């Protein structure tokens, strides 16, 4: 009897979670009204440098992301004026749960559940409408580390965790990472080689049919890098040099509806 109840409760929870994920996907891929995206800045290392950087942030620092989505969506079948609307929320106090580097599939699943729980509480701002997609941007003092930890974007839960450098000169590349993780929450997949970081041909190329093929004029958002020769690639410094390729556009349903 108890076993039946337990199994029933578990099944109901699973059905609700699956239904929720399905609704989220339909809603975020409909492109009928602006998608509300919230930026939630956090001080990752508790440093004074990250703190003063966050204090100086304004919505304008993220405007390039909305412009990028507008420009690229219009190249495909989306006619919406503002496909993505970016809002800056006040700095949060609590840091999101950490994903261990060798977490394994079960560890990742557990982390994504904890992440959803965290996002539910961390995004409650009095007097502000909660955003549909939540991007937590964790700022690090650039003088204390060479590279930031990996960033993540979850389609199930519509959450992004972005590690960024608290530096004006890095603001453009931070926006590329935010746009990349935002794309993941919408269902886009990575288009680079995980071992080398090189863009994958053809899906990770801005202009795969270009003659000559190299150098590519810009980077594809889910590749993150621009191929300059068969063996070399570089990272663009802002979203003006990044495009959405047809494979990514198809994944996020920038198609005729
Ligand atoms: Zn990615």
């Amino acid at each position: 009897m108890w076993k039946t109840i337990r199994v029933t409760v578990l099944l109901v929870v699973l059905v609700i979670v699956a239904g929720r994920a399905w609704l989220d996907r339909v809603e975020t891929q409909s492109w009928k009204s602006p998608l509300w995206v919230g930026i939630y800045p956090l001080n990752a290392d508790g440093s004074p440098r990250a703190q003063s950087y966050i204090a100086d942030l304004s919505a304008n620092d993220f405007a390039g992301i909305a412009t990028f989505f507008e420009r690229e969506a219009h190249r495909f079948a989306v006619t919406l004026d503002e496909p993505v609307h970016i809002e800056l929320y006040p700095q949060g106090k609590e840091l999101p749960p950490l994903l261990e580097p060798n977490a394994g599939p079960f560890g990742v699943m557990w982390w994504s559940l904890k992440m959803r729980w965290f996002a539910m509480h961390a995004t409650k701002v009095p007097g502000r409408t909660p955003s549909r997609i939540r991007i937590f941007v964790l700022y690090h003092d650039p003088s204390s580390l060479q590279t930031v930890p990996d960033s993540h974007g979850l389609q199930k839960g519509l959450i992004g965790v972005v590690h960024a450098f608290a530096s004006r000169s890095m603001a453009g590349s931070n926006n590329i990472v935010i746009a990349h993780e935002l794309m993941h929450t919408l269902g886009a997949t990575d288009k680079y080689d995980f071992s080398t970081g090189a863009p994958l041909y053809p899906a990770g190329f801005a202009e795969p049919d270009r003659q000559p093929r190299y150098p590519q004029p810009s980077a594809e958002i889910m590749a993150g890098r621009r191929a300059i020769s068969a063996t070399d690639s570089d990272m663009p410094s802002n979203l003006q040099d990044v495009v959405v390729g047809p494979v990514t556009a198809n994944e996020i349903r920038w198609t005729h509806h």
Side-chain angles (χ1 to χ4, degrees):
M1 158 88 164
W2 276 113
K3 199 180 168 197
T4 314
I5 292 174
R6 277 207 320 258
V7 169
T8 309
V9 167
L10 191 64
L11 278 176
V12 167
V13 168
L14 283 176
V15 166
I16 292 172
V17 168
R20 179 79 239 175
W22 180 79
L23 278 174
D24 281 347
R25 208 180 70 213
V26 168
E27 205 189 323
T28 56
Q29 294 186 339
S30 77
W31 305 107
K32 297 258 190 293
S33 55
L35 202 53
W36 203 274
V37 177
I39 304 284
Y40 298 85
L42 294 160
N43 187 337
D45 52 11
S47 65
R49 172 123 183 225
Q51 197 52 45
S52 68
Y53 188 82
I54 293 169
D56 281 345
L57 284 176
S58 73
N60 203 35
D61 292 311
F62 306 96
I65 302 167
T67 309
F68 165 77
F69 272 86
E70 189 188 320
R71 185 191 74 215
E72 292 304 303
H74 291 175
R75 290 202 306 118
F76 293 92
V78 178
T79 50
L80 195 61
D81 276 343
E82 191 188 25
V84 164
H85 174 79
I86 310 275
E87 280 275 310
L88 175 62
Y89 286 81
Q91 180 183 359
K93 290 179 185 73
E94 225 182 300
L95 294 178
L98 263 180
L99 176 62
E100 300 301 331
N102 303 310
F106 186 76
V108 172
M109 215 162 78
W110 181 235
W111 171 78
S112 96
L113 284 176
K114 286 195 291 187
M115 201 55 232
R116 278 189 245 191
W117 180 254
F118 169 84
M120 216 162 77
H121 296 275
T123 56
K124 279 191 188 127
V125 180
R128 298 280 297 269
T129 314
S131 63
R132 197 73 191 79
I133 296 177
R134 290 77 50 95
I135 309 278
F136 298 97
V137 185
L138 284 78
Y139 287 96
H140 298 257
D141 181 345
S143 64
S144 63
L145 76 177
Q146 284 282 304
T147 54
V148 288
D150 287 341
S151 297
H152 301 280
L154 303 171
Q155 186 177 21
K156 288 184 177 142
L158 304 178
I159 301 164
V161 179
V162 170
H163 288 274
F165 281 118
S167 158
R168 280 277 137 212
S169 63
M170 298 294 283
S173 51
N174 289 343
N175 278 353
I176 296 178
V177 182
I178 294 171
H180 177 101
E181 303 308 334
L182 174 51
M183 280 283 183
H184 274 313
T185 70
L186 304 175
T189 59
D190 283 317
K191 292 167 186 71
Y192 63 90
D193 185 316
F194 290 129
S195 54
T196 63
L200 291 176
Y201 186 83
F205 278 50
E207 291 179 25
D209 301 327
R210 186 187 167 88
Q211 288 296 337
R213 189 181 290 171
Y214 304 105
Q216 284 283 308
S218 43
E220 204 283 332
I221 184 67
M222 300 315 288
R225 296 178 74 87
R226 174 182 77 109
I228 45 179
S229 73
T231 50
D232 280 311
S233 61
D234 66 5
M235 224 182 269
S237 58
N238 65 64
L239 283 166
Q240 276 155 10
D241 298 323
V242 181
V243 299
V244 173
V247 179
T248 299
N250 200 43
E251 286 169 339
I252 64 169
R253 293 186 47 80
W254 277 359
T255 47
H256 292 282
H257 291 275

